[in-house]
Amino acid sequence: MANQAVGVIFSNIHDENIPELSRHRTMASIPFGGRYRLIDFALSNMVNSGITTVGIVTKYNYQSLIDHLGSGKEWDLARKDGGIILLPPYSDETDLPYANRLEALKGVTGFLTRRKEEYVVIADCDGIFRQDIKEVIRFHEENHADITMVYHEEDHVESSYYITLDPDQNGRIKGLKINPDVNGKGKFNLYVNIMVLNREFLINIIHDAATRGFSSFGRDILTKQVDSLKIFGYKMNGYYAGINSLQDYYRHSMELLRRDVRTELFGARDIYTKVRDSAPSKYNDGALVKNSLISDGCAIEGTVENCILFRGVKVGKGSVVKNSIFMQDTVIGANVQLDCVITDKNVVVRDRRHLAGCETLPYFVSKGRML
């Protein structure tokens, strides 16, 4: 079934949720877990489910995304027909970038019209998860649904825009709310920005929305037509991490230090990413590493505890770094003490610096800074 589906991934939709890390890149290309980018999870789930054509909707700051995706060969998407297709943020009718999801979908109707697949799988890049898309499509078919929305049971959310679902015993959505007050009120069903639709149906509702002057996919199509459309909810089980703030990014990154989380995310089927041929990491005399993820190309002389080190990170002699995330090519000098710190790429922390944040407010150092 999945080979009868085309994927559409939004790369910029949630940039405003984490401006610290999306200032110079798309949400899709935010580094995660020592070697991955956020888009790797949505893209790998599609590829593992047999989807071989994926359109990536861009908007701005997408140079790093282009560099990361390349020809798509790491995902087996370097193909003459299909593969990865970068979709610009402009439609045939305007030279202005899209302002919302509905405008973005209108802008890619040409791409959707030219495809022959029966289904469209839409996903964002704000979630860390593993999901067999074939199961969602099968659920969609069995229920003869117009729209199938994937949700996960949560007890807390921090986002400027989110949707909760109220399915009946058969899975049909009988209630759909945008930004309700749910925190502190127990479990709720959070839509995780994965959706399956019939391709021709999607094209039709986009054209209909344009003629009616609709401006919001969620408010004007989903909430207003929840009774008239056959909208079903598919429950995602297992691990799901939504990245809605820098605090979320830090917390869910630290969860990777737990064996059960790593096993669930990376144990069954691969999460693919761009491969770099780097030398193995080097641990010099006096180095001490505890409960940390260390990527290749690192050089460690000090103490590293409960940390995630991306490629090429250097930790100087006598330095003690704890509970922190250091992105690619961060250089930490000698006799430095860091706790609950996130550094973006190419940061230099000079000798004898002491920096500390906390779990709810990690200390962030932006790309290329020297402290």
Side-chain angles (χ1 to χ4, degrees), residues 307-318:
C307 290
I308 298 175
L309 275 60
F310 285 73
R311 298 181 179 94
V313 173
K314 295 178 173 57
V315 180
K317 188 175 182 179

Side-chain angles (χ1 to χ4, degrees), residues 246-254 323 325 340 342 359 362:
L246 187 66
Q247 177 185 344
D248 277 346
Y249 176 84
Y250 176 82
R251 177 165 55 90
H252 294 310
S253 294
M254 290 295 103
N323 311 307
I325 303 166
C340 291
I342 301 174
E359 292 182 358

Side-chain angles (χ1 to χ4, degrees), residues 25 34 44-45 73 83 114 121 124 166 176 180 187 236 302 343 356:
R25 56 172 73 90
S44 296
N45 282 318
K73 66 178 182 179
R114 290 189 295 271
V121 180
D124 295 349
D166 183 16
L176 187 152
K187 298 285 188 178
M236 175 193 292
T343 66

Side-chain angles (χ1 to χ4, degrees), residues 149-192:
M149 305 173 69
V150 181
Y151 67 89
H152 191 266
E153 194 174 75
E154 298 281 340
D155 58 12
H156 185 79
V157 64
E158 292 183 16
S159 179
S160 59
Y161 183 90
Y162 58 92
I163 296 175
T164 63
L165 307 178
D166 183 16
D168 63 19
Q169 60 182 1
N170 297 316
R172 183 160 183 175
I173 302 301
K174 58 183 181 181
L176 187 152
K177 296 180 180 179
I178 297 176
N179 294 344
D181 182 13
V182 291
N183 290 333
K185 298 183 178 181
K187 298 285 188 178
F188 59 91
N189 298 318
L190 178 69
Y191 170 53
V192 297

Side-chain angles (χ1 to χ4, degrees), residues 176-360:
L176 187 152
K177 296 180 180 179
I178 297 176
N179 294 344
D181 182 13
V182 291
N183 290 333
K185 298 183 178 181
K187 298 285 188 178
F188 59 91
N189 298 318
L190 178 69
Y191 170 53
V192 297
N193 299 314
I194 307 168
M195 180 183 295
V196 175
L197 310 90
N198 288 61
R199 183 178 58 84
E200 292 184 357
F201 172 80
L202 175 59
I203 294 171
N204 289 336
I205 63 172
I206 292 171
H207 288 320
D208 181 67
T211 60
R212 295 171 181 266
F214 290 166
S215 60
S216 170
F217 190 88
R219 289 186 170 89
D220 293 326
I221 294 178
L222 296 178
T223 58
K224 290 183 179 180
Q225 301 185 60
V226 67
D227 294 325
S228 58
L229 296 177
K230 295 179 66 177
I231 304 177
F232 279 76
Y234 178 92
K235 184 177 181 180
M236 175 193 292
N237 295 308
Y239 181 82
Y240 172 81
I243 308 297
N244 297 307
S245 65
L246 187 66
Q247 177 185 344
D248 277 346
Y249 176 84
Y250 176 82
R251 177 165 55 90
H252 294 310
S253 294
M254 290 295 103
E255 287 175 348
L256 293 179
L257 300 179
R258 290 166 37 192
R259 183 185 297 272
D260 60 323
V261 172
R262 293 197 305 274
T263 300
E264 185 165 349
L265 276 178
F266 307 109
R269 304 182 75 177
D270 288 337
I271 300 296
Y272 307 103
T273 191
K274 182 178 181 179
V275 176
R276 296 181 184 271
D277 295 325
S278 302
S281 290
K282 181 180 180 181
Y283 302 87
N284 292 348
D285 290 342
L288 177 62
V289 178
K290 296 181 179 179
N291 192 39
S292 297
L293 296 180
I294 310 296
S295 300
D296 47 5
C298 295
I300 301 173
E301 296 182 86
T303 298
V304 178
E305 185 174 345
N306 299 326
C307 290
I308 298 175
L309 275 60
F310 285 73
R311 298 181 179 94
V313 173
K314 295 178 173 57
V315 180
K317 188 175 182 179
S319 293
V320 178
V321 296
K322 297 181 178 181
N323 311 307
S324 297
I325 303 166
F326 305 117
M327 294 188 189
Q328 185 174 322
D329 296 326
T330 293
V331 177
I332 299 168
N335 300 308
V336 171
Q337 294 188 26
L338 304 178
D339 191 3
C340 291
V341 173
I342 301 174
T343 66
D344 207 328
K345 296 173 63 175
N346 302 117
V347 165
V348 176
V349 182
R350 290 179 289 183
D351 297 350
R352 298 181 298 280
R353 296 299 191 263
H354 292 198
L355 302 174
C358 63
E359 292 182 358
T360 56

